[in-house]
Amino acid sequence: MKNNFTFELPEWLKHKKIDLNKSFTDSEKMEFAISLSKQNIEENSGGPFGAAIFDMETGKLISVGVNIVIPSNWSCGHAEMVAFSLAHESLQTYDLSLKGNFELYTSAEPCTMCLGGTIWSGVKSVVCAARHDDIQKVGFDEGPKPEYWWNELENRGINVRRDFMRDQAVQVLNQYFNTGGEIYNADR
């Protein structure tokens, strides 16, 4: 039995030139998350989802994530979970709120797992592009979650902004579907 766990980011992402001193605007943050999802499918390195965590005061990038479920053989390899894991490692904390105020920008609303991960990550804000229905329309199973899931986050002090640049994110989902990207669901 193996006694440790690691995951690898796609090669293109490991070598992507990112200015870590740049202060991103809100639009640039979401454009960045969506661009990660788009490049992930163009590089054939995972599903059509991208996420990034930013410092709320400075607008600087803390971590990135793309969907790596298939190449990593890891059902938890969703973009948000990868971004959370890398932020926790980078900041050396299990709770991001202990190190400052951070926000998650994601190309799609969180699935059931990522909703839980968001609650426990310590982020103070979540900004989403594509909706649950957009994701399910192309075939992904997002799992059961409360109908008004954003209220659950807001009740815990996490601000939620939905539908930010939704059309651009939906285009990437449709691109993935139209080019025959693998739709993986546990109940197949």
Side-chain angles (χ1 to χ4, degrees), residues 118-162:
T118 299
I119 291 169
W120 295 305
S121 70
V123 295
K124 298 291 185 189
S125 176
V126 177
V127 183
C128 313
R131 281 195 175 200
H132 175 89
D133 295 341
D134 302 324
I135 302 160
Q136 293 208 154
K137 190 179 290 183
V138 298
F140 288 100
D141 178 5
E142 292 296 283
K145 62 183 184 182
E147 183 176 359
Y148 300 103
W149 61 269
W150 54 93
N151 289 335
E152 298 294 326
L153 294 182
E154 290 174 349
N155 289 339
R156 293 171 180 263
I158 302 169
N159 296 321
V160 176
R161 181 176 180 188
R162 300 172 68 213

Side-chain angles (χ1 to χ4, degrees), residues 45-188:
S45 54
F49 304 100
I53 295 177
F54 296 90
D55 183 301
M56 292 176 73
E57 278 84 41
T58 66
K60 291 183 179 177
L61 180 67
I62 302 301
S63 69
V64 300
V66 293
N67 181 285
I68 57 170
V69 169
I70 294 172
S72 66
N73 293 313
W74 178 37
S75 62
C76 299
H78 292 200
E80 298 93 333
M81 301 305 284
V82 170
F84 293 145
S85 297
L86 293 173
H88 290 300
E89 182 180 344
S90 174
L91 298 174
Q92 291 296 289
T93 183
Y94 63 90
D95 180 350
L96 297 176
S97 69
L98 298 175
K99 297 286 185 158
N101 295 315
F102 301 98
E103 57 192 345
L104 169 69
Y105 274 73
T106 178
S107 66
E109 290 181 348
C111 68
T112 301
M113 175 181 62
C114 295
L115 180 62
T118 299
I119 291 169
W120 295 305
S121 70
V123 295
K124 298 291 185 189
S125 176
V126 177
V127 183
C128 313
R131 281 195 175 200
H132 175 89
D133 295 341
D134 302 324
I135 302 160
Q136 293 208 154
K137 190 179 290 183
V138 298
F140 288 100
D141 178 5
E142 292 296 283
K145 62 183 184 182
E147 183 176 359
Y148 300 103
W149 61 269
W150 54 93
N151 289 335
E152 298 294 326
L153 294 182
E154 290 174 349
N155 289 339
R156 293 171 180 263
I158 302 169
N159 296 321
V160 176
R161 181 176 180 188
R162 300 172 68 213
D163 298 335
F164 187 52
M165 301 178 72
R166 180 180 180 191
D167 291 342
Q168 293 92 320
V170 169
Q171 287 175 1
V172 175
L173 290 170
N174 290 334
Q175 176 185 350
Y176 185 77
F177 179 78
N178 292 334
T179 57
E182 184 174 350
I183 305 296
Y184 43 88
N185 292 316
D187 63 352
R188 296 187 266 155

